[in-house]
Amino acid sequence: MPTARAQGVGFRSERGPILIALMLATGLVAIDSTIVATAVPSIVRDVGGFESFPWLFSAYLLAQAVSVPIYGKLSDMVGRKPIILAGIGLFLLGSVLCGIAWSMPALIAFRALQGLGAGAVLPVSITIAGDIYSLEERAKVQGYLASVWAVSSVVGPSLGGIFAALGFWRGIFLVNIPLCLLAGWMLVRTLHENVERAKHRVDYAGAALLAASLGLLILGALEGGQGWAWDSPASLGIFTVGGVLLALFLVVERRAAEPVLPSWVVSRRLLGTTALVSFGVGAVMIGLTSYVPTFLEGALASSPLVAGLALAALTLGWPISASQAGRFYLRIGFKATALIGITITVIGLAVLALTAATPSVALVAASCFVVGLGLGLVATPTLIAAQSSVSWNERGVVTSTNMFARSIGSALGVAVFGAVANAIYSGTPGGESNGPAVVAASGAVFVAALAAGVLTVAAVLVMPAVRAANADAASGDGEDDGEPVLTDAEDSSR
């Protein structure tokens, strides 16, 4: 198993090629999350299916979210390398098929295949970083990985617009081919694992029930109030069946020899609270990414490019603070660092909510930047604290659970924020085309995002007050790694 060695962080270090490969792999998911939106009109003109195009995003997100916990468990059982390579392979296959799709249903199905690949790439990339870098180095590495999202927030829409303008929307998928091949090749050459071979009992029943139950529940949250009414038979049926399957999953997991989602993932205080924090981060993020562009375009008639750049300030602030988070948590602890971060986040959200009635592009961009700075100091230390509290063969499932909690936060955030905005639009003549209605709806969403931020403060406050131990204790060699890197003897998470 790879060990975390203090050899410096950067592209020229011994682990630099692995870091580049992880950034490339992360870039596949990051760019794909933004590049499709700008090309939707061209796609619809070519293959039709305007009424179904939202499923291009829902199918992708749904497949990604439900597969993350399963990939995390598999990476703990067989190693990170085969799982991330399988994820890149699925993403590559999905991209090729999307590029030759002949109809909207086919394109939606192939987007789901892409999502299954993305479900492995993102969490396993972060897990690998946790394996090969020491505790003090991981924050800098998270800054590198977060910077990929900052670049992608600008590059993605721009590339999508270029391909759309050239009348070749299929290029937004085919461009993934060389990136997938390069990332896979670099990982094959540079990432070497010494995984202890052991016979495992794969929890097939648990994996199937988890995927089915979460798929239905997330689908209900994503489409409720949009694809169908909340109180419709379809909505009630989906939530009922999803809830029953989830209950069955919990029963199966109690009897499984190697459960796909062990109960200790949420029963340990540290892991449970950091998952709640990640949930809140997902809700805050989706509130801003979904409504800031609509707000600026509807309230100020800003161009999509200007609105996108204002939102990009969010993903610019995140890597700046994430890369510096290590300086804080090594000195004052994980909880104190996260508390500083969530306080900054709430301040940025409060400014955004209080000034929504008098919109300004500069003020919105500044608020997004402040929120990004705060989130970088929240997401990074809480994730690293969770990773560092477990051994190598548990780190994959812990990382994937943290990422999955963020996906659930985003899915429920979409549902809640959408309900808030639609309530205002439905009572206003002109609805979404009415400027004052857009301002009112967006302002209400920003207030709801602020409420999510305040609730996340509560999650941070109940985290164990632990400090980082010596960075050497964070080695990932599978022997000493089982020792806690948390120095608080009263930490009830252990």
Side-chain angles (χ1 to χ4, degrees), residues 47-331:
V47 299
F50 175 79
E51 67 284 351
S52 303
F53 87 81
W55 278 93
L56 290 176
F57 307 97
S58 296
Y60 177 89
L61 294 173
L62 190 61
Q64 180 183 7
V66 301
S67 61
V68 162
I70 298 171
Y71 287 128
K73 178 62 178 179
L74 289 175
S75 75
D76 286 339
M77 296 172 67
V78 302
R80 325 295 188 208
K81 188 172 182 177
I83 300 303
I84 192 170
L85 290 177
I88 292 174
L90 284 174
F91 195 90
L92 173 61
L93 178 60
S95 297
V96 172
L97 292 174
C98 284
I100 61 174
W102 53 90
S103 67
M104 184 61 74
L107 184 57
I108 291 170
F110 300 148
R111 281 284 286 168
L113 184 59
Q114 273 191 309
L116 289 176
V121 170
L122 190 56
V124 178
S125 294
I126 296 174
T127 305
I128 292 172
D131 289 339
I132 67 174
Y133 289 97
S134 68
L135 181 62
E136 62 185 354
E137 295 171 328
R138 290 174 193 164
K140 293 181 180 179
V141 175
Q142 290 300 318
Y144 276 97
L145 296 178
S147 68
V148 173
W149 291 89
V151 173
S152 299
S153 66
V154 177
V155 173
S158 300
L159 277 177
I162 291 172
F163 282 119
L166 294 174
F168 185 58
W169 62 266
R170 299 178 188 275
I172 67 176
F173 300 109
L174 299 180
V175 73
N176 292 327
I177 296 176
L179 296 177
C180 286
L181 294 175
L182 180 59
W185 176 76
M186 291 189 69
L187 285 169
V188 168
R189 286 180 56 89
T190 61
L191 180 60
H192 304 290
E193 292 182 306
N194 182 23
V195 181
E196 298 176 3
R197 300 299 175 185
K199 187 175 181 179
H200 295 282
R201 298 180 62 181
V202 180
D203 182 17
Y204 294 109
L209 286 170
L210 179 65
S213 61
L214 294 180
L216 289 172
L217 294 173
I218 296 174
L219 173 62
L222 287 173
E223 295 298 313
Q226 300 184 48
W228 46 70
W230 287 108
D231 56 354
S232 67
S235 182
L236 296 176
I238 284 175
F239 281 116
T240 300
V241 176
V244 170
L245 292 178
L246 184 59
L248 288 175
F249 165 74
L250 296 176
V251 172
V252 169
E253 292 303 272
R254 289 185 177 183
R255 301 177 180 179
E258 295 187 65
V260 67
L261 191 62
S263 60
W264 56 259
V265 173
V266 292
S267 63
R268 295 181 189 176
R269 184 179 165 196
L270 177 62
L271 301 183
T273 51
T274 52
L276 286 175
V277 172
S278 187
F279 179 94
V281 169
V284 169
M285 283 287 291
I286 200 68
L288 269 60
T289 55
S290 297
Y291 286 91
V292 162
T294 300
F295 173 58
L296 291 177
E297 292 174 33
L300 297 176
S302 300
S303 67
L305 177 60
V306 171
L309 290 175
L311 179 61
L314 176 72
T315 51
L316 179 62
W318 188 312
I320 292 175
S321 60
S323 63
Q324 301 302 312
R327 297 176 180 270
F328 291 91
Y329 67 65
L330 289 173
R331 182 172 300 178

Side-chain angles (χ1 to χ4, degrees), residues 406-421:
R406 189 181 300 179
S407 297
I408 294 295
S410 295
L412 291 182
V414 166
V416 172
F417 299 148
V420 169

Side-chain angles (χ1 to χ4, degrees), residues 296-470:
L296 291 177
E297 292 174 33
L300 297 176
S302 300
S303 67
L305 177 60
V306 171
L309 290 175
L311 179 61
L314 176 72
T315 51
L316 179 62
W318 188 312
I320 292 175
S321 60
S323 63
Q324 301 302 312
R327 297 176 180 270
F328 291 91
Y329 67 65
L330 289 173
R331 182 172 300 178
I332 63 177
F334 297 110
K335 178 178 180 178
T337 304
L339 193 56
I340 292 172
I342 195 59
T343 301
I344 294 173
T345 300
V346 168
I347 291 173
L349 291 170
V351 171
L352 193 60
L354 293 172
T355 60
T358 55
S360 161
V361 174
L363 188 58
V364 169
S367 299
C368 287
F369 181 74
V370 171
V371 171
L373 286 176
L375 291 177
L377 288 177
V378 176
T380 299
T382 52
L383 172 62
I384 292 175
Q387 286 184 327
S388 301
S389 69
V390 296
S391 58
W392 184 93
N393 60 354
E394 295 177 336
R395 190 172 293 144
V397 73
V398 165
T399 303
S400 63
T401 300
N402 193 279
M403 303 304 297
F404 176 68
R406 189 181 300 179
S407 297
I408 294 295
S410 295
L412 291 182
V414 166
V416 172
F417 299 148
V420 169
N422 290 335
I424 295 175
Y425 288 139
S426 62
T428 306
E432 298 179 17
S433 61
N434 185 313
V438 171
V439 172
S442 300
V445 169
F446 298 152
V447 170
L450 174 60
V454 172
L455 291 175
T456 307
V457 173
V460 174
L461 288 174
V462 297
M463 278 181 61
V466 296
R467 291 177 178 270
N470 187 288

